[in-house]
Amino acid sequence: MTATVISSTATPTPTGRPAHRDPNVLRWLGAYTSSMVGDSVYYIALSWAAVQGGSPAQAGIVMSVSALPRAVLMLFGGVIADRLGPRRVVIASDAVRCAAVVAVAALLFLTSPGLWPLTALALVFGTVDAVFMPAVGALPARVTTRDQLARVQGMRGLALRVAYILGAPLGGLGVALGGAAAAFGLAGLLIAVSVPLLMSLRVGKLPVGDRTAATPWQDLRAGLAHVRRHRVLAPLMLAIALGDLGFVSPFNVGLTLLADRRGWGAAGVGWVVAGFGAGAGAASLLLTVRGRLPRAGLVAGYTILAGSVAIGALAFVPSLAGAVGVALLVGLLAGLSGAMCSALLQTQADPACLGRVTAVSSLISLGLTPLSMPFAAAAIGAFGTGPVYVVSAAVCGLGGVVALAVPGLRRAELPG
């Protein structure tokens, strides 16, 4: 017997206010921002402590340890988010992460234990992330109404920009003042701030199905079947996969190698990344202000296509100023397409399956597409940056082609 999924449109009671003026949404935004800034500080502290405590190779292992449990357990994390409710899961996840970080901070303050507690901490974070990420993605649909989800995605994008901007200097300041122990303590404090804010949230009723005979495996199969058979979600997942696969390598390992060959140096990489961040922030601000863009499926398709052209062009821009300008355009287009895809995912998915649907999307973006980076680096070494950027752009563009070619996705709209 398989799990019976009951569709529901249960949402929080409308307040008549747009999301950026709704106290409930603002509490969610404060919790999310604090948690993400804490995440950024944690990664700075972890990398610094790992480098100080071992060789570069050992530090690399510590930094990558969390990837395996996150990828392996992500889909079941979606099952847990749907069964228990995303708010409850996010609260528990932040509490566990806070406790783990504070424990390591205390250990580092009292003694010099080596790399083993850092490795254990990375494993804990990776395991908790597998549950945390699907729940975080499913929570906005519980704290606002469907017609505000696009605006909430814009607000979420702005929060991520703030986390990236504040996290690195705060982590560096913590390390400078008190070493890795102080930085870990600061990360724990920031994550802890999210817990009371999350506990104060009003959330919509959790849609439930027949759980009397359902096992987690059956729940997972039901969620995957929901994605596979859906006329919008199935092509949307393929578009996300292709878009991310073509985007990740050029803007990670590819950008570093491109800057090295152009002679821009580390500062040049920083400027290009800043240009991308400014463009993505502008896209998030646009959605926060407007709240909704019509013809969301069409917008997603065209912005993925245009963004792929900009990605390919980045390898052929000779000057640093030109590369920054192109990166700004990529950020704007990627920000719009990403927000449209996220909002469509949240509004098209059955509310009872939203955690599992988000888990599939998160696994594609955070678990599978980064695997392309070592292959991209090897290809750049063999063929140069130009051909690899062109191939990456073509793969990314295929995501836009899918969005425009499949009628269900092309005609998809966000609630008005």
Side-chain angles (χ1 to χ4, degrees):
M1 183 182 293
T2 58
T4 302
V5 175
I6 299 178
S7 179
S8 170
T9 57
T11 57
T13 304
T15 63
R17 300 172 179 172
H20 62 290
R21 297 178 182 173
D22 184 345
N24 196 50
V25 176
L26 293 178
R27 286 193 294 272
W28 161 81
L29 184 65
Y32 180 73
T33 304
S34 182
S35 182
M36 290 300 100
V37 174
D39 259 10
S40 297
V41 174
Y42 155 76
Y43 282 110
I44 295 295
L46 183 67
S47 61
W48 178 263
V51 168
Q52 294 296 307
S55 67
Q58 290 172 325
I61 292 173
V62 171
M63 294 300 296
S64 62
V65 156
S66 62
L68 181 60
R70 184 168 55 218
V72 171
L73 301 174
M74 183 77 76
L75 294 179
F76 285 102
V79 172
I80 293 172
D82 283 335
R83 283 189 164 222
L84 301 181
R87 186 186 70 152
R88 186 183 300 176
V89 171
V90 174
I91 291 173
S93 300
D94 273 348
V96 171
R97 296 194 306 155
C98 175
V101 170
V102 170
V104 171
L107 191 62
L108 292 177
F109 181 77
L110 295 173
T111 183
S112 299
L115 292 179
W116 71 264
L118 303 179
T119 305
L121 179 62
L123 281 171
V124 169
F125 257 68
T127 303
V128 174
D129 276 350
V131 183
F132 176 76
M133 289 177 177
V136 163
L139 187 56
R142 300 273 189 260
V143 301
T144 191
T145 51
R146 285 166 54 86
D147 62 308
Q148 293 295 313
L149 279 174
R151 175 172 274 129
V152 167
Q153 290 305 317
M155 297 166 69
R156 185 179 179 186
L158 287 175
L160 281 174
R161 294 298 116 199
V162 170
Y164 293 148
I165 292 170
L166 293 182
L170 283 176
L173 180 62
V175 168
L177 294 178
F184 278 128
L186 177 59
L189 176 63
L190 288 165
I191 295 172
V193 169
S194 69
V195 175
L197 290 172
L198 290 167
M199 294 178 69
S200 69
L201 287 182
R202 301 187 314 274
V203 295
K205 291 181 67 175
L206 177 68
V208 294
D210 178 12
R211 301 296 185 194
T212 57
T215 66
W217 277 104
Q218 291 170 330
D219 270 357
L220 178 58
R221 289 173 57 191
L224 295 176
H226 175 58
V227 173
R228 186 177 66 252
R229 297 167 184 167
H230 199 284
R231 65 185 184 89
V232 174
L233 293 179
L236 180 61
M237 291 298 182
L238 180 57
I240 291 172
L242 291 169
D244 284 352
L245 189 63
F247 169 82
V248 167
S249 294
F251 260 84
N252 285 276
V253 63
L255 182 58
T256 303
L257 295 174
L258 178 65
D260 180 64
R261 298 193 174 196
R262 290 283 193 274
W264 298 337
V269 174
W271 279 109
V272 175
V273 172
F276 173 82
S284 298
L285 183 60
L286 173 65
L287 286 172
T288 300
V289 173
R290 284 187 57 87
R292 178 181 181 272
L293 294 179
R295 308 186 75 177
L298 205 61
V299 170
Y302 279 127
T303 50
I304 292 173
L305 268 179
S308 70
V309 174
I311 288 172
L314 187 61
F316 301 96
V317 178
S319 69
L320 177 58
V324 172
V326 173
L328 191 149
L329 180 61
V330 173
L332 178 64
L333 294 168
L336 286 174
S337 62
M340 289 298 97
C341 289
S342 296
L344 284 171
L345 184 149
Q346 296 212 351
T347 54
Q348 292 289 328
D350 187 316
C353 293
L354 189 51
R356 282 162 285 177
V357 172
T358 305
V360 173
S361 175
S362 298
L363 180 61
I364 290 171
S365 298
L366 301 173
L368 300 181
T369 52
L371 297 177
S372 66
M373 288 194 285
F375 298 101
I380 289 174
F383 305 108
T385 54
V388 174
Y389 267 72
V390 169
V391 171
S392 297
V395 172
C396 183
L398 286 175
V401 171
V402 169
L404 296 175
V406 178
L409 179 53
R410 184 179 67 246
R411 297 168 185 163
E413 290 277 9
L414 297 175

